[in-house]
């Protein structure tokens, strides 16, 4: 078994980690504590009881390496909104955001 020794102090190690992961830390922590649109929509729709919320990919556009997904969100079979994005998750988020905006 190979053994490693720490040749720099804790402060230097912290500087190295922060400088190399600064962007990743910033990106992952910017929405901490905030609810995403899908969660907010789900909570709003379930205020009066259990409902069936469905996200369905209704269309994909573009080649495999550069697809755009079109997703429709519905509640108990009733159409709410459509969203699009480069990933299914982005399209679902946009559909949920539009559904929330349409409700207001």
């Amino acid at each position: 078994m190979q053994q490693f020794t720490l040749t720099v102090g804790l402060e230097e190690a912290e500087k190295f980690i922060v400088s190399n992961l600064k962007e990743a830390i910033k990106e992952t922590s910017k929405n901490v504590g905030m609810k995403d649109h899908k969660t907010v929509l789900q909570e709003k729709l379930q205020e009066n009881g259990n409902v069936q919320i469905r996200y369905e990919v209704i269309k994909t556009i573009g080649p495999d390496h550069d697809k755009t997904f079109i997703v429709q969100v519905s509640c108990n079979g009733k159409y709410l909104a459509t969203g699009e994005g480069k990933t299914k998750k982005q399209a679902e988020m946009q559909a949920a955001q539009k559904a929330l905006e349409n409700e207001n």
Side-chain angles (χ1 to χ4, degrees):
M1 178 180 273
Q2 192 174 20
Q3 188 174 12
F4 295 95
T5 58
L6 187 60
T7 58
V8 296
L10 192 56
E11 287 179 30
E12 288 299 314
E14 182 180 2
K15 285 181 192 175
F16 174 81
I17 291 168
V18 171
S19 68
N20 285 287
L21 298 176
K22 186 187 315 185
E23 286 305 311
I25 292 168
K26 183 178 173 184
E27 187 64 30
T28 57
S29 63
K30 72 179 179 182
N31 292 324
V32 170
M34 295 177 61
K35 294 180 182 176
D36 62 58
H37 297 297
K38 285 179 67 176
T39 302
V40 173
L41 179 63
Q42 179 178 342
E43 289 174 349
K44 193 164 197 137
L45 293 172
Q46 290 180 338
E47 283 176 347
N48 298 318
N50 203 15
V51 294
Q52 182 184 8
I53 303 164
R54 182 172 179 197
Y55 292 88
E56 179 182 4
V57 176
I58 57 172
K59 188 175 184 179
T60 57
I61 303 167
D64 285 345
H65 69 279
D66 191 27
K67 281 196 186 299
T68 298
F69 295 90
I70 312 294
V71 170
Q72 174 178 295
V73 61
S74 61
C75 179
N76 292 336
K78 180 184 174 207
Y79 167 83
L80 299 177
T82 302
E84 70 177 65
K86 286 298 185 183
T87 65
K88 290 177 187 176
K89 184 175 181 176
Q90 286 176 345
E92 290 172 353
M93 286 292 191
Q94 188 184 79
Q97 180 179 6
K98 286 182 177 181
L100 289 164
E101 290 169 357
N102 291 342
E103 194 172 44
N104 294 328

